[in-house]
Amino acid sequence: MAVKNYILVCGGTACESAKGDDIYKALLKEAEAHGVADDVQIVKTGCFGFCEKGPIVKVLPEQAFYVEVVPEDAKEIISETIVKGRIVERIQYQPEKGAKGEAFDIENIEFYQKQYRIVLRNCGLINPENIDEYIARDGYSALEKCLFEMKPDDIIEELKKSGLRGRGGAGFPTWMKWNFTKQVDGGQKYVVCNADEGDPGAYMDRSTLEGDPHSVLEAMIIAGICVGADYGAIYIRAEYPLAIERLETAMKQAREYGLLGNDILGSGFNFDIELRLGAGAFVCGEETALLASIEGKRGMPIPKPPFPAVKGLFRKPTVINNVETFANIPIIITKGGDWFAQIGTEKSKGTKVFALTGKIKNSGLVEVPMGTTLREIVFDIGGGIRGGKKFKAVQTGGPSGGVITEEFLDTPIDFDNLVSIGSMMGSGGMIVMDEDDCIVDVTKFYLEFCVEESCGKCAPCRIGTKKLYEYLDRFTKGKGQIEDIQKMKDIGNAMKKASLCGLGQTAANPVLSTLRYFPEEYRQHIEDGKCIAGKCKDLVHYEIVTEKCIGCTVCARKCPVNCIEGERKKPHVIDQTKCIKCGACYEGCKFDAIIVS
Ligand SMILES: Cc1cc2nc3c(=O)[nH]c(=O)nc-3n(C[C@H](O)[C@H](O)[C@H](O)COP(=O)(O)O)c2cc1C
Ligand code: SF4
Ligand code: SF4
Ligand code: SF4
Ligand code: FES
């Protein structure tokens, strides 16, 4: 019997951890209880992208887009929407502008309007644990084409036409990489997928694997056909259990369907894939370190050349690409390189997925055509800054990137433009900062990360990251000297030139970029001993303004160390000797009676 309705329940990590599975089970139970179990198909999908409003439940064909759903809503979703065809307004997404309570398709939700979902084409739409749903969306048709209609050179040609550049950070043309490996004569070759994703704040690759694992498997098999490899490995961090589970399910189903393993679709071509779990070291995302880790050695980079394309895993020619790079490939093959090349900018084709986080209203996973401006991402898609605060900067590219200030918000985003304004695309982490963020403190966070993650093999990185961190730490304590700034620039530039791998070569970028755009904020920390954002604890001082305090006692109750005293309805006082500068009183006072100085 044909089903009348589909209920799509977000099964991405964020929604799952907010009781997504309970919502799914409650919907199944209620459908049964209302006698409509045969009329409705309830599907657990990957991330919808709009994680800020999760857990999300979408009902088709009614186009109900339910947000912040709890398991208790299941009853009403079934009894109202499924049984009576009515939208439950209480949980229906409410736009800031436009009609309330109307039906919603992706097209009329502001968050999605400027997006273009190529990599995430199936996320939020299909059940990632059911290969039939992937096949129903054209899945594995690119593989079929590559096996029976195209020659390896045709695949390279299509990738060349597409202009696809690697999404793991450096933006190297994918066709060139594949071509290097293809050109090596015969012998054992490998295909490796880099799913290490170590950048703080980034979760694009995890979501792609959770929501559409087959797209990556299909692309890896295509890479195998193209370069002449029969074995692939996906290197994924062990902290991604849901992605691992879905990949395992997908590989099992693909093998059962004859799409993976020996004699794929009766073509005589063999290709199999294994998962290799990483322990979560950032440097293991660097390709040579990653390959060493797969080989069972300690994950440390080695000098290049030779590049992995020629001497990679076990010193054999190896194609290594990022998850997002791979996810683009099947659709490039089915729709053609020319189609893909129409999207994006002159030198950066296609789209880019960003993990939009920080002080933004709509945090989530955003896929936009290259060339979209940061202003569009932050204000149109992201909805602007939370709590009416002022925009300060966007950090892109994680520890390898830098900050972008207001004056560059209209820069069209692509690999080259971001580098020209002192940042970089990186893997796609995008952290929005407001006036309450301290630029020195944020920079210190990235350097602390690099100090911890440096493998220590080479001195410029091992010592340089530590020295930069120490300077920043002193600034946040009001103990810096203005001459330190030049020393930091010198160290940073030396690290760029002399470090062995990308970690050390880029670790100084956050320092150099923030020094360039926020020199005044550094000067204030060093010369005035002042942190205008109130983040550097050693430089801030919380005080109660007697005239404004009405004695409501809220601050005294919030203070974790009981250092605020005062009678009810009388002005309160902070005992400065005991204050640990946690800011709880400041955030709790509704009368602006507490000032940070
Ligand atoms: C310290 C460091 C960490 C990296 N981490 C990742 C990562 O987590 N995922 C990734 O795809 N690339 C990462 N890269 C880039 C890889 O070395 C490599 O360039 C990439 O996997 C190539 O794939 P692509 O051509 O598809 O971008 C990292 C590089 C460095 C220097
Ligand atoms: S640059 Fe840093 S992470 Fe890279 S090899 Fe040198 S010490 Fe290790
Ligand atoms: S919360 Fe504000 S108004 Fe209330 S007692 Fe504290 S300082 Fe005074
Ligand atoms: S900053 Fe924290 S510790 Fe200090 S007075 Fe306020 S609540 Fe208490
Ligand atoms: S995890 Fe549900 S919308 Fe992202």
Side-chain angles (χ1 to χ4, degrees), residues 516-558:
R516 178 167 158 197
Y517 294 122
F518 293 93
E520 178 58 14
E521 208 164 316
Y522 274 94
R523 195 202 58 74
Q524 283 168 349
H525 278 78
I526 299 167
E527 294 192 332
D528 305 343
K530 226 168 145 185
C531 172
I532 46 161
K535 275 280 170 331
C536 298
K537 286 189 180 176
D538 289 297
L539 305 182
V540 300
H541 179 82
Y542 290 89
E543 215 170 320
I544 298 180
V545 181
T546 312
E547 295 74 37
K548 285 193 174 175
C549 175
I550 63 148
C552 71
T553 76
V554 165
C555 58
R557 280 182 277 130
K558 289 210 176 251

Side-chain angles (χ1 to χ4, degrees), residues 542 555 558-561 563-564 574 579-586:
Y542 290 89
C555 58
K558 289 210 176 251
C559 178
V561 291
C563 71
I564 305 182
I574 297 176
C579 173
I580 56 163
K581 298 167 182 178
C582 69
C585 55
Y586 175 75

Side-chain angles (χ1 to χ4, degrees), residues 181 189-192 291 308-313 316-320:
T181 306
K189 297 179 190 178
Y190 297 106
V191 176
V192 172
L291 297 175
V310 183
K311 274 202 168 83
L313 191 60
K316 303 290 179 200
T318 303
V319 161
I320 172 163

Side-chain angles (χ1 to χ4, degrees), residues 261-329:
N262 285 340
D263 191 20
I264 294 177
L265 295 178
S267 64
F269 175 70
N270 305 332
F271 191 85
D272 216 336
I273 299 178
E274 261 184 48
L275 294 190
R276 291 302 178 108
L277 306 195
F282 179 55
V283 77
C284 284
E286 195 281 337
E287 53 193 11
T288 60
L290 183 149
L291 297 175
S293 178
I294 297 184
E295 289 169 9
K297 300 183 195 135
R298 190 169 160 191
M300 273 187 167
I302 52 167
K304 292 184 280 194
F307 289 95
V310 183
K311 274 202 168 83
L313 191 60
F314 301 110
R315 310 301 280 167
K316 303 290 179 200
T318 303
V319 161
I320 172 163
N321 278 123
N322 164 261
V323 170
E324 191 179 330
T325 315
F326 276 128
N328 275 300
I329 305 238

Side-chain angles (χ1 to χ4, degrees), residues 10-16 47-51 54-56:
C10 178
T13 291
C15 291
E16 277 278 276
C47 171
F48 279 69
F50 207 176
C51 309
I56 292 176

